[in-house]
Every structure is written in structure tokens, then in C-alpha cells.
């Protein structure tokens, strides 16, 4: 029995056929034998339509050290740095580091192209994924198609900023692009980078010094690095992304420095029609510990292209325990070579269901989310006796009774974590906010889909960043953040999204939508928590924590004195957690009503 395994989880598949061919998520054997045992790398500058020269590395199958002339499909990445040299003289090659050069042995040409204003390429980077890059992608693919060693079928791949570049390549109108394998990208930059209207974690790089740029590897023939230095000097005029985003607090902000509305021009979603016209097949992947995991699900729901989605237990661009190169290989084999390996016969969505007791299981479905029941847990008074938070409130099935129920605290900006947070989740901050904890679960609860907190709050400040964490509290008191949400209260107005946001609130986020809070006046808002697939085990508790600050905020404005935030939870101004759960409606881990 062939099976995919990650962190102890397995996904059972059909028995292998007699010839021992296996094609399943992360495992690919027997369908594409090695026909070459070596490759060669060549690099050069390729001119774009405006004359800007981009640095290109090409890995080609070889025999006895000589590149073969047989045409093969090309798969490529629109990189930031295709190759570099460390202070010790060690050379880093993206093709080797990523493992993708190995596909040359199976009859592919693999290429890495430094985007304009980056790596050894000339030009400047105006903004982040501007249309010039999409035009470059088109020109690069035309150049590939013109080469004697290339067929007319091309695939593109990438992760994070290069994953988004891969999606933008699908907007370029090249008839040769047939398949896109993109990971950990934003479908719309405002929703991904400015989630809930709050800047955190993302989008302030790449910003490199001249010295850093000079560590890039020159192309072949630039023996003294003179061309590299000339290109690096041009990069010094690149846009400061931190400054650009600071000048764009709203979805419709116009930034003079780049001469555009950056959230719109630089977002994949803006070019949805062009992607669909391309007909390119799409494979999106992400991890439950990554901030962009909702974005790839929204992308799949919003685009009519053939689409597959993979979500594992990983952080940003992680794939530990899963052979992502093998998965790219079988996807490209199907779409670029016509290999009938069954990948498109599998369910569209593959994801890992995580358990709070350390177990996990893989699941597949043709729809996301696969769970349809909703359960409401209300924020309530009382003391759970489980945490030394400001209020130590409770969370249960009963709608609050009476009037006046509320919890107040002064926003705490002293949040810290014991280790750098990086691009992932923060650490639990229960002692720095308001908490609401259930009684002990007498049966397990699976949450698969998009949790949401319907929150009524007031603040002494005209605006208030609000952060919400859904947590698993183990019997020993240890806490794990399962998912989180955030919203800027003055920008919490929602509307109908131009694309499919899977039933979640879509914050319009325009300048006209900004509505300052009246001090002490309650405002009800929907706080969208990132999707998850998680089982809270029997014997554990669920907890909601609410704060007014987060370790990951990249552009926090601290108010002095810190504002007082009030969460309302009475019969009229109730606040509740809405969970997509597995099981009969109303049965949430054996929790009792009428306490």
C-alpha cells in the first residue's frame, strides 16, 4: 500500500500496480525515469522589450559534460537571486539549493531568472510585482520558446514573492505557459499583507545594500564583475517597500512615489480574467503556520483554471517531510509532457488535519471547507481558573442574559516572545489581554474551515487594532495558538467581495470606509480568523484571547496613554465565536448549556 507520510500522518492510496509505479501527493516513482545522469549550467543576459537585461541561469540535461540539443519543456522561477557567493567563496545556486536542477535528469530544462532590479539583473524594482515584471515574464518565455533546446510548453514555479511572481506570469498572455506551481502567495495584497487593515509581518523587503547585491554571482563572461556592479548600482533606486506601504493605509491609496494604487496594480486578483484566459493549470500550496494560507484557498475558489491545493503542517515556504520537488515533477509531467499519472483525477484539495495530542491525518476532498456545521460559543463572565489574564472569562454555549456585561483592560504594548517570531505565528499572550476559556471537553472537537469572532467592543481611542487568537489549552495548562485574526476597528466595514472569499467577511478598506470610533460607543465587527483544520482533543479546552497589540505589527502607532478597550458580552451586545465543526449541530465537545 503506497502512502504519503508527514509527521506521523498517512494518506492511504490505491495499491501500486505491478510495474511499481507510484503517483500520489509527494511521491512520484516509475512514471518518469531518469534519462540523463548529469546537467550543465549556463548563464547570460537576456534583453527585455525595453532593453533592460535580465540575468538568466539555464540548467540543461547533459551527456559527458555537453548539453544535449533535444528540445525539452522548460520550467522556471522568477527569482530575486539565482546565484550568489558567500564571504568564504562558497557558491549558492538556486537550482541546486531548491533541488529543481534534478528535473533535468528527467528531460526538463530548468531556468532561474533574476527579476529586474534584483540579483545580477539590470533595472530597478518599482513597487512590488509591478506590471513591468509580468511583461518581463512574457518576454522571458518568448525567449525560451525561441531556443532550439526548448519545446513550446512552459511551466513556472515559486514560493512567497517568487510564488506571487509565478502567478503574475500567468497574467502575461504567453500562449506557451501551461502550468503554474505557486506557494505561499497573496491573491490580493491588501488582504494578505494588510490583513484586517493592519500591517504585520509582510512586504517590506527585498531591500539590499550595494554590498549585498555585489555578492550575487555574475553571469558567464562577466569575469571582472563590471556588469554586476553596474546592475547593482541601478538597484539603489529600487522602491523602499516600507515607505511605500506606509503611504498606502487604504485599499484605494494612491502613492506618488510609484505613480499608482499599489494594492491594486501589484495584486494577482486584479488580473483574474487574464489568468483564466491563459488556461494555465494552477497548483497552490501553503502551510497551517503561514499567514497566507487563506489567500491560496481564495485563489483556488476564485479562478476557473484547473486547480489543485495542498496545505500541510508547515510555516512559510516549508515542506518538511514532504517531497515538494516530486510534487512539482508529477504536476509538470501531466501538463507539459502529457504523462497520465493520475494527478488531476485526485480530489482537488489535500490537507493535513492536525490533532492537539500530536497525531495528524491527511484528508482529500473536491471542496473546501468540507465541514458545514457551525457552532457558536459566547464570551461570558465568570472565572475559568485556568489563566492569570486580566479577566479570566469563560466561553460557552449559553447566550448572555441581562445588560451591562463587559470586560475592560488597558492595551498592553509590552508583548514579547522568547524567540524571534519571523514570518510565522506569535507566541501566546494570554496574560497581556482578555481571555475566555471553555470547560474541559468531554469529547474531541474538529474545526475545519474559517472560524470567526463576532465582536462588540468600544475603545477610548478613535481607532483600535484588535487581535484575536483561538487557542488549545492542554490539561497541563500549556497553550497552543491554532489560528488568529485581526482587524482595524475603524476599517472594519465589510462588503461584497469581487472574488470568492469563502463566506468570510471582506473588509472594503477604502479611505471612504474609514470611520473613527466614538469613545465609549460600542461597535460590532466580524473578525476573520485564518482557516485551520484542527482537532481539539477530549480533556483539552478552547480559549479565545483578545489583545490590542501583537508582536508582529510592523507599523504600530502607540497611543499615550494606552487606550482602554472594552469587550461587550450582554444580552444585546453579545460577542461570540463561530466555529465550523465536525459532528451534529449543537454538540461541541460535550460542552453543557445552562451553567
Amino acid at each position: 500500500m503506497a502512502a504519503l507520510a508527514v509527521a506521523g500522518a498517512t494518506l492511504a492510496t490505491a495499491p501500486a500496480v505491478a510495474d511499481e509505479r507510484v503517483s500520489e501527493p509527494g511521491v512520484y516513482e516509475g512514471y518518469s525515469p531518469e534519462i540523463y545522469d548529469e546537467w550543465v549550467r549556463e548563464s547570460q543576459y537576456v534583453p527585455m522589450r525595453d532593453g533592460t537585461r535580465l540575468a538568466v541561469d539555464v540548467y540543461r540535461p547533459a551527456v559527458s559534460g555537453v548539453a544535449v540539443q533535444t528540445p525539452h519543456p522548460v520550467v522556471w522561477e522568477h527569482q530575486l537571486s539565482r546565484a550568489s557567493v558567500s564571504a568564504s567563496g562558497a557558491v549558492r545556486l538556486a537550482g541546486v539549493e531548491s533541488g529543481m536542477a534534478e528535473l533535468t535528469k528527467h528531460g526538463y530544462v530548468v531556468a532561474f531568472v533574476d527579476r529586474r532590479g534584483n540579483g545580477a539583473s539590470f533595472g530597478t524594482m518599482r513597487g512590488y510585482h509591478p506590471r513591468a515584471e509580468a511583461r518581463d515574464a512574457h518576454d522571458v518565455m518568448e525567449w525560451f520558446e525561441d531556443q532550439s533546446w526548448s519545446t513550446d510548453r512552459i511551466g513556472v514555479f515559486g514560493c512567497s514573492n517568487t510564488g506571487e511572481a509565478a502567478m503574475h506570469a500567468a497574467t502575461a498572455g504567453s500562449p506557451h505557459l501551461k502550468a503554474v506551481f505557486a506557494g505561499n502567495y497573496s491573491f490580493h495584497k491588501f488582504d494578505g499583507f494588510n490583513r484586517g487593515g493592519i500591517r504585520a509581518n509582510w512586504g517590506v523587503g527585498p531591500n539590499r545594500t550595494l554590498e549585498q547585491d555585489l555578492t550575487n554571482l555574475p553571469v558567464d563572461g562577466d569575469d571582472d564583475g563590471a556588469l554586476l556592479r553596474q546592475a547593482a548600482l541601478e538597484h539603489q533606486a529600487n522602491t523602499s517597500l516600507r515607505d511605500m506601504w506606509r503611504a498606502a493605509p487604504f485599499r484605494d491609496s494612491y502613492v506618488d512615489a510609484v505613480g499608482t494604487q499599489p494594492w491594486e496594480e501589484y495584486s494577482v486578483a486584479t488580473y483574474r480574467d487574464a489568468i483564466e484566459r491563459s488556461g494555465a493549470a494552477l497548483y497552490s500550496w501553503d502551510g497551517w503556520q503561514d499567514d497566507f494560507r487563506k489567500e491560496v484557498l481564495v485563489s483556488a475558489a476564485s479562478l476557473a483554471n484547473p486547480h489543485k491545493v495542498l496545505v500541510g503542517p508547515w510555516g512559510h515556504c516549508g515542506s518538511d517531510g514532504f517531497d515538494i520537488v516530486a510534487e512539482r515533477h508529477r504536476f509538470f509531467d501531466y501538463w507539459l509532457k502529457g504523462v497520465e499519472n493520475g494527478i488531476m483525477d485526485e480530489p482537488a484539495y489535500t490537507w493535513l488535519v492536525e490533532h492537539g495530542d500530536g497525531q495528524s491525518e491527511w484528508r482529500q476532498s473536491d471542496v473546501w471547507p468540507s465541514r458545514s456545521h457551525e457552532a457558536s460559543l459566547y464570551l461570558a463572565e465568570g472565572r475559568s481558573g485556568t489563566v492569570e489574564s486580566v479577566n479570566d472569562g469563560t466561553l460557552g454555549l449559553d447566550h448572555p442574559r441581562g445588560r451591562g456585561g463587559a470586560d475592560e483592560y488597558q492595551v498592553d504594548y509590552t508583548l514579547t516572545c522568547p524567540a524571534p517570531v519571523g514570518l510565522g505565528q506569535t507566541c501566546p499572550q494570554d496574560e497581556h489581554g482578555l481571555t475566555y476559556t471553555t470547560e474541559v471537553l468531554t469529547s474531541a472537537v474538529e474545526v475545519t474551515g474559517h472560524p470567526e469572532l463576532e465582536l462588540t467592543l468600544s475603545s477610548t481611542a478613535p481607532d483600535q487594532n484588535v487581535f484575536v487568537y483561538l487557542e488549545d489549552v492542554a490539561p497541563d495548562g500549556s497553550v497552543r495558538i491554532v489560528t488568529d485574526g485581526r482587524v482595524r476597528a475603524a476599517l472594519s466595514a465589510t462588503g461584497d467581495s469581487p472574488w470568492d472569499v469563502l463566506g468570510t467577511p471582506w473588509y472594503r478598506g477604502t479611505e471612504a470606509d474609514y470611520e473613527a470610533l466614538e469613545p465609549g460607543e460600542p461597535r460590532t465587527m466580524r473578525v476573520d480568523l485564518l482557516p485551520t483544520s484542527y482537532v481539539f482533543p477530549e480533556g483539552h479546552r478552547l480559549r479565545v484571547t483578545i489583545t490590542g497589540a501583537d508582536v508582529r505589527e510592523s507599523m504600530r502607532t502607540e497611543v499615550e496613554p494606552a487606550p482602554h478597550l472594552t469587550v461587550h458580552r450582554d444580552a444585546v451586545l453579545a460577542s461570540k465565536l463561530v466555529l465550523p465543526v465536525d459532528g451534529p449541530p449543537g454538540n461541541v465537545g460535550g460542552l453543557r448549556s445552562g451553567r
Side-chain angles (χ1 to χ4, degrees):
M1 180 72 73
L4 176 154
V6 175
T10 61
L11 175 63
T13 63
V17 295
D19 61 2
E20 296 184 346
R21 294 188 302 170
V22 180
S23 176
E24 62 181 44
V27 182
Y28 194 45
E29 300 171 356
Y31 283 85
S32 182
E34 291 189 5
I35 54 180
Y36 304 102
D37 59 7
E38 57 182 301
W39 48 261
V40 295
R41 182 185 69 88
E42 301 168 339
S43 62
Q44 68 179 89
Y45 281 118
V46 175
M48 300 295 98
R49 67 186 69 179
D50 65 355
T52 301
R53 290 170 290 174
L54 302 190
V56 179
D57 272 10
V58 177
Y59 296 76
R60 293 169 56 192
V63 175
S64 300
V66 178
V68 301
Q69 294 302 312
T70 305
H72 293 296
V74 178
V75 293
W76 71 290
E77 184 174 23
H78 216 174
Q79 262 278 353
L80 295 177
S81 175
R82 81 209 193 288
S84 61
V85 183
S86 70
S88 65
V91 176
R92 180 200 66 85
L93 297 174
V96 176
E97 188 177 67
S98 66
M100 289 297 291
E102 292 300 302
L103 292 192
T104 58
K105 298 178 180 179
H106 301 272
Y108 284 92
V109 174
V110 184
F112 297 84
V113 181
D114 287 344
R115 305 214 299 271
R116 65 169 58 212
N118 291 279
S121 288
F122 285 82
T124 59
M125 186 179 73
R126 184 192 66 85
Y128 206 9
H129 299 104
R131 295 315 291 159
E133 285 188 4
R135 291 190 290 270
D136 290 346
H138 178 278
D139 294 352
V140 165
M141 289 186 284
E142 289 297 306
W143 182 81
F144 289 148
E145 197 274 336
D146 285 343
Q147 306 310 303
S148 61
W149 37 257
S150 169
T151 68
D152 65 350
R153 302 186 69 81
I154 295 174
V156 64
F157 61 92
C159 185
S160 189
N161 69 81
T162 69
E164 201 153 325
M167 293 297 290
H168 278 286
T171 73
S174 171
H176 315 299
L177 181 63
K178 306 299 181 182
V180 179
F181 198 109
N184 300 236
Y185 63 88
S186 66
F187 185 60
H188 194 284
K189 272 187 164 60
F190 188 86
D191 298 330
F193 289 30
N194 230 45
R195 183 160 57 96
I198 299 172
R199 288 283 303 112
N201 282 19
W202 304 102
V204 297
N207 291 317
R208 292 168 58 87
T209 65
L210 176 63
E211 290 72 22
Q212 290 171 324
D213 265 353
L214 290 175
T215 65
N216 286 291
L217 189 68
V219 301
D220 296 348
D222 183 17
D223 298 330
D224 61 359
L227 293 176
L228 173 64
R229 173 170 286 276
Q230 183 181 340
L233 287 170
E234 291 187 7
H235 301 173
Q236 300 309 296
N238 284 357
T239 299
S240 167
L241 298 185
R242 184 181 297 276
D243 292 343
M244 181 183 71
W245 295 135
R246 192 182 299 278
F250 306 110
R251 190 185 292 270
D252 58 350
S253 293
Y254 184 92
V255 178
D256 290 334
V258 289
T260 193
Q261 293 176 299
W263 297 118
E264 294 305 305
E265 180 182 335
Y266 307 154
S267 291
V268 171
T270 302
Y271 312 101
R272 179 177 57 175
D273 290 347
I275 295 174
E276 291 181 341
R277 285 195 303 271
S278 78
L282 309 175
Y283 195 128
S284 297
W285 63 285
D286 215 309
W288 292 129
Q289 302 305 311
D290 181 53
D291 232 33
F292 288 155
R293 58 189 186 266
K294 178 183 176 182
E295 292 292 291
V296 300
L297 294 168
V298 166
S299 177
S302 301
L303 293 166
N305 305 58
H307 212 139
K308 292 188 67 65
V309 176
L310 169 72
V311 187
W314 313 300
H316 192 62
C317 289
S319 58
D320 290 349
F322 183 95
D323 192 340
I324 200 69
V325 174
E327 192 68 354
R328 289 169 176 163
H329 186 185
R330 72 188 193 116
F331 184 66
F332 288 141
D333 260 9
Y334 183 90
W335 289 104
L336 304 184
K337 291 187 173 184
V339 178
E340 293 293 342
N341 54 29
I343 187 169
M344 300 308 293
D345 296 328
E346 299 167 358
Y349 295 84
T350 299
W351 73 92
L352 191 80
V353 185
E354 300 182 286
H355 293 241
D357 59 6
Q359 301 298 308
S360 54
E361 63 191 85
W362 285 95
R363 184 174 295 156
Q364 292 185 307
S365 174
D366 279 322
V367 295
W368 170 268
S370 64
R371 305 309 187 199
S372 58
H373 301 311
E374 287 188 346
S376 295
L377 297 177
Y378 291 89
L379 279 57
E381 63 182 351
R383 296 188 63 81
S384 73
T386 62
V387 62
E388 295 182 4
S389 65
V390 174
N391 66 319
D392 187 22
T394 60
L395 186 65
L397 296 172
D398 294 327
H399 192 288
R401 300 176 181 178
R403 299 295 297 272
D407 296 304
E408 178 185 322
Y409 91 114
Q410 188 171 21
V411 173
D412 187 350
Y413 295 123
T414 66
L415 307 170
T416 59
C417 282
V421 175
L423 301 180
Q425 185 57 264
T426 187
C427 59
Q429 302 289 343
D430 297 352
E431 290 76 15
H432 295 272
L434 300 171
T435 63
Y436 302 88
T437 310
T438 66
E439 58 188 343
V440 174
L441 302 177
T442 59
S443 62
V445 176
E446 179 183 326
V447 176
T448 293
H450 301 261
E452 181 180 320
L453 185 68
E454 296 182 11
L455 178 66
T456 301
L457 63 78
S458 55
S459 175
T460 58
D463 198 359
Q464 179 67 64
N465 285 356
V466 180
F467 299 88
V468 176
Y469 312 94
L470 175 60
E471 301 169 339
D472 179 2
V473 184
D476 63 2
S478 59
V479 176
R480 174 182 178 179
I481 297 176
V482 174
T483 185
D484 74 283
R486 59 183 183 244
V487 66
R488 184 180 174 187
L491 278 181
S492 59
T494 60
D496 295 331
S497 172
W499 45 86
D500 190 343
V501 292
L502 302 163
T504 65
W506 183 71
Y507 307 111
R508 294 193 300 260
T510 68
E511 187 170 8
D513 288 313
Y514 182 89
E515 184 181 359
L517 301 174
E518 293 292 334
E521 287 294 317
R523 180 169 297 179
T524 299
M525 60 198 68
R526 298 170 64 189
V527 185
D528 173 30
L529 276 64
L530 289 174
T532 188
S533 188
Y534 187 88
V535 176
F536 294 83
E538 176 184 346
H540 289 224
R541 301 172 187 253
L542 281 76
R543 176 177 294 160
V544 169
T545 295
I546 300 171
T547 69
D550 184 282
V551 172
R552 299 167 295 177
E553 289 175 275
S554 61
M555 295 181 183
R556 179 195 297 162
T557 299
E558 296 190 5
V559 178
E560 183 62 39
H564 288 258
L565 185 154
T566 301
V567 170
H568 300 270
R569 46 165 183 74
D570 63 20
V572 177
L573 302 176
S575 296
K576 66 178 180 180
L577 174 69
V578 181
L579 295 175
V581 297
D582 182 26
N587 180 15
V588 185
L591 296 179
R592 299 166 295 164
S593 61
R595 289 173 55 189

